[in-house]
Amino acid sequence: MEIIERISEIFSETFGEAPIHIARAPGRVNLLGEHVDYNDGFVLPAAIDRATYIAFSPSNSDQTTLLAVDLNQQASFSPQTIPSKTQIDSSPLPDWAHYPAGVMWALLEEKLSTPAMNSVYASDVPRGSGLSSSASVEMAFMIAWQTLDSWALPPMRLALLAQKAENQYVGVNCGIMDQFASACGVENHLLLLDCRSLEWKTIPLPEDVAIVIADTTVRRKLTSGEYNKRRAACEEAVRLLQQNLPNIKSLRDVSVEDFNWLAGKLPDEVSKRARHAVEEIERTNQAEALLEAGNIQHFGELMNECHISLRDLYEVSCPELDVMVRIAQSLEGCYGGRLTGAGFGGCIVNLVAHEKAEEFAQSLAKGYQSETGYHPEIYITRASKGAELLA
Ligand code: ADP
Ligand code: MG
């Protein structure tokens, strides 16, 4: 494994001896259940076979030193410097170091110890593409500190602490899905997570089906304003629907039937946003049985429906995503495809017959490039194991 050799070599050059441990933590992609985590819905992600790898050893000093190979940058901090977000030399922690430092902060909040370490890390999860490079970095450091001390927590607990780090130390308002998938991934399985109870189960994905992710390379940041507006619309829908359905707490509690009966009472835009959430949650309910039965064909149709809903009801697509999805869905071997992640650019995800995956990737790249002029990144991937200590 090339990355592991690379970080081990750099570790030896930097610290004068070989690293004692290696850990990995994957990125993730969500197959179904988009924009429903904050409506208490279900999500269906998989950990992917791209990951952050970290080489580490305990340090004799009291400072933790990290070297981020992909950024060619180094930082040092300790439990004493964590609250002020500074380094050992009192300079401010650079942004990228907030992710590992946030993990230390979250562990210290739990009264868990975070032994000083020397570490070198690198990743093949693309940064900022919506495949959760940030969660993969956080989970890699979770595993590292867990390895160096005597405490051990279940993967879901580690994920919750990593989410807390990202929410409160880094300052990004993400849900639990990213860290959960990176922590709990299972080879060749999708993960069905109930965002209300945090109960989850695995569902096998047939081995002759590939997950193909394609990056439009367009980034129209879902400005936090747009995201917050959609969250607010869902909350308003709940408030209004409670007049007839007093027992509902979130859109999760509204059936499609009840929604159809009451939708007319909602303002237009609120109704569209809420319809997406209600119907998307219903799609994830249907998905479970379809996947258990190995019916990828029908599951793929749910993915296609999800895209239409994100485009027309939730209105988080963009022309490039729509072009890419249209081309993908027309190609041989494609069961289904849709935008994945928050939207307004970023990636699409497709399920494709394994034997057709290469051809699919080439035709998609060619078609997309000739229509938009952009050169897409395409990743043929499969569901992989969650964060783990390798050595
Ligand atoms: P993503 O969708 O990939 O999670 P984010 O904006 O949430 O995008 O997180 C990206 C940030 O995570 C980067 O700007 C960087 O600070 C950190 N990060 C991700 N990958 C690496 C890496 N390989 N090395 C150092 N920092 C990383
Ligand atoms: Mg992220």
Side-chain angles (χ1 to χ4, degrees):
M1 184 76 204
E2 217 176 283
I3 290 193
I4 294 178
E5 275 166 28
R6 201 147 148 257
I7 56 175
S8 301
E9 222 166 84
I10 294 173
F11 188 103
S12 300
E13 284 164 16
T14 309
F15 299 109
E17 56 190 12
I20 297 178
H21 300 291
I22 306 280
R24 71 171 271 283
R28 66 95 188 92
V29 68
N30 190 23
L31 276 292
L32 200 67
E34 209 65 82
H35 282 288
V36 295
D37 53 345
Y38 48 85
N39 291 305
D40 280 349
F42 299 85
V43 292
L44 193 60
I48 59 176
D49 59 2
R50 289 175 161 258
T52 296
Y53 295 82
I54 176 171
F56 61 102
S57 295
S59 148
N60 298 323
S61 74
D62 60 0
Q63 73 184 53
T64 284
T65 298
L66 359 148
L67 204 162
V69 173
D70 301 323
L71 309 177
N72 194 21
Q73 295 212 43
Q74 198 167 324
S76 297
F77 50 80
S78 73
Q80 285 70 45
T81 69
I82 283 290
S84 57
K85 297 190 176 170
T86 52
Q87 304 202 56
I88 298 293
D89 65 5
S90 300
S91 64
L93 266 183
D95 286 348
W96 61 270
H98 286 186
Y99 295 86
V103 171
M104 179 182 272
W105 171 81
L107 292 170
L108 293 171
E109 289 274 298
E110 287 298 289
K111 310 275 183 265
L112 294 166
S113 76
T114 52
M117 68 168 150
N118 293 325
S119 66
V120 173
Y121 65 109
S123 184
D124 58 6
V125 183
R127 290 190 292 284
S129 295
L131 301 180
S132 255
S133 66
S134 60
S136 78
V137 167
E138 290 150 12
M139 288 310 305
F141 278 88
M142 278 289 173
I143 299 294
W145 272 305
Q146 173 167 270
T147 303
L148 293 179
D149 204 52
S150 49
W151 53 270
L153 296 176
M156 180 60 100
R157 285 283 299 140
L158 294 180
L160 284 164
L161 289 174
Q163 184 205 8
K164 183 174 171 183
E166 185 150 344
N167 288 166
Q168 296 185 35
Y169 198 85
V170 181
V172 174
N173 182 21
C174 58
I176 184 60
M177 172 170 67
D178 302 357
Q179 291 81 8
F180 156 73
S182 181
C184 299
V186 176
E187 244 185 327
N188 299 322
H189 286 70
L190 303 180
L191 312 170
L192 181 62
L193 172 69
D194 179 340
C195 295
R196 173 177 276 169
S197 68
L198 296 188
E199 278 169 21
W200 59 282
K201 61 182 289 191
T202 62
I203 307 182
L205 189 65
E207 285 193 29
D208 57 0
V209 178
I211 300 172
V212 184
I213 299 163
D215 190 342
T216 59
T217 71
V218 174
R219 304 276 181 275
R220 286 193 201 104
K221 273 267 166 189
L222 176 61
T223 54
S224 52
E226 289 298 313
Y227 177 78
N228 291 338
K229 269 195 250 168
R230 281 160 183 76
R231 284 187 80 137
C234 292
E235 282 162 24
E236 193 186 342
V238 173
R239 259 195 315 278
L240 294 169
L241 292 170
Q242 276 169 339
Q243 293 166 6
N244 293 82
L245 306 168
N247 294 327
I248 63 167
K249 293 196 171 57
S250 67
L251 291 176
R252 150 79 170 267
D253 302 315
V254 182
S255 67
V256 173
E257 209 182 7
D258 280 347
F259 186 80
N260 286 338
W261 165 50
L262 295 166
K265 294 182 186 260
L266 303 177
D268 251 12
E269 191 174 290
V270 170
S271 169
K272 280 203 282 188
R273 306 297 187 248
R275 179 177 293 284
H276 165 74
V278 168
E279 292 181 349
E280 180 74 351
I281 292 169
E282 172 56 22
R283 277 189 285 275
T284 56
N285 286 329
Q286 291 173 19
E288 185 177 355
L290 291 173
L291 288 166
E292 295 284 7
N295 191 344
I296 303 298
Q297 194 84 40
H298 196 160
F299 176 75
E301 286 163 21
L302 295 181
M303 293 174 71
N304 296 346
E305 284 173 23
C306 170
H307 184 79
I308 293 170
S309 182
L310 289 168
R311 184 189 68 195
D312 298 344
L313 297 177
Y314 223 64
E315 297 181 275
V316 292
S317 191
C318 67
E320 293 82 0
L321 281 166
D322 292 338
V323 165
M324 197 182 237
V325 163
R326 170 170 51 73
I327 297 170
Q329 290 174 351
S330 75
L331 294 172
E332 208 185 326
C334 182
Y335 293 106
R338 66 177 194 85
L339 78 85
T340 184
F344 295 109
C347 293
I348 71 166
V349 62
N350 312 274
L351 288 182
V352 181
H354 204 276
E355 68 202 23
K356 298 282 183 199
E358 279 293 342
E359 206 182 310
F360 171 89
Q362 278 170 22
S363 306
L364 180 57
K366 214 166 127 206
Y368 178 71
Q369 193 166 4
S370 79
E371 278 200 46
T372 64
Y374 295 114
H375 179 73
E377 294 290 335
I378 301 193
Y379 312 104
I380 299 175
T381 179
R382 53 191 197 87
S384 86
K385 192 161 187 276
E388 61 183 330
L389 184 67
L390 295 175

